[in-house]
Amino acid sequence: MGMIGETVDSIKSLQIRQVLTQAVSLGMIVTSALIIWKALMCITGSESPVVVVLSGSMEPGFKRGDILFLHMSKEPIRAGEIVVFNVDGREIPIVHRVIKVHERGDNGEVDVLTKGDNNYGDDRLLYAHGQLWLQRHHIMGRAVGFLPYVGWVTIIMTEKPIIKYILIGALGLLVITSKE
């Protein structure tokens, strides 16, 4: 027989207790990942503590596929910092550098203007219609570190969904057929 036949035989030989044990183990893995993500959100103060750079707009500093680690503190944002922000009407966050800071009044609140290092002009064309500056609530966090190229896994699975389904199916099959 081939590998598929052995896998089918392995699935047939499973007992209810083994299936339940493996389902509980899979549930614990998923739950642990969610708990770790929520803990990172609390520690970093960012709604998304890790993001993947999806375009070449920040090259040469950050390349497409780099993973950025974010932190959001109470300190005012300053020119030169790299921030990740959401714009109203767009669901994908953007990673760009702050090029101008505009202080509002005596309360210390700042509005910022951003630009990709590899882009010609500022980001006002990316902002919502009529919006000239980003406020603090638009900013998800400041980049505090990065891992080069690791985010390509996410990009490939997003751009080629069949690979994601094959990977999930293979992992599910591995969990179901494992003997322990």
Side-chain angles (χ1 to χ4, degrees), residues 118-151:
N118 201 23
N119 293 352
Y120 180 71
D122 63 41
D123 289 342
R124 287 188 171 145
L125 292 175
L126 296 176
Y127 300 163
H129 182 69
Q131 182 179 359
L132 300 176
W133 300 87
L134 293 175
Q135 285 81 40
R136 188 169 188 90
H137 71 272
H138 292 111
I139 297 175
M140 297 170 60
R142 300 175 168 110
V144 294
F146 78 102
L147 277 174
Y149 308 113
V150 179

Side-chain angles (χ1 to χ4, degrees), residues 59-139:
E59 288 183 3
F62 299 117
K63 294 181 176 31
R64 188 169 192 244
D66 290 353
I67 288 184
L68 299 181
F69 300 102
L70 305 182
H71 185 267
M72 193 63 189
S73 64
K74 301 279 184 209
E75 298 170 16
I77 296 163
R78 298 290 169 219
E81 290 185 310
I82 296 170
V83 296
V84 176
F85 60 91
N86 273 327
V87 176
D88 299 332
R90 291 180 181 244
E91 60 183 62
I92 297 177
I94 300 170
V95 179
H96 281 174
R97 188 179 305 277
V98 174
I99 58 169
K100 286 185 184 176
V101 176
H102 173 69
E103 293 197 29
R104 287 187 279 146
D106 296 332
N107 61 1
E109 289 291 318
V110 294
D111 295 337
V112 298
L113 178 64
T114 56
K115 174 187 174 296
D117 290 352
N118 201 23
N119 293 352
Y120 180 71
D122 63 41
D123 289 342
R124 287 188 171 145
L125 292 175
L126 296 176
Y127 300 163
H129 182 69
Q131 182 179 359
L132 300 176
W133 300 87
L134 293 175
Q135 285 81 40
R136 188 169 188 90
H137 71 272
H138 292 111
I139 297 175

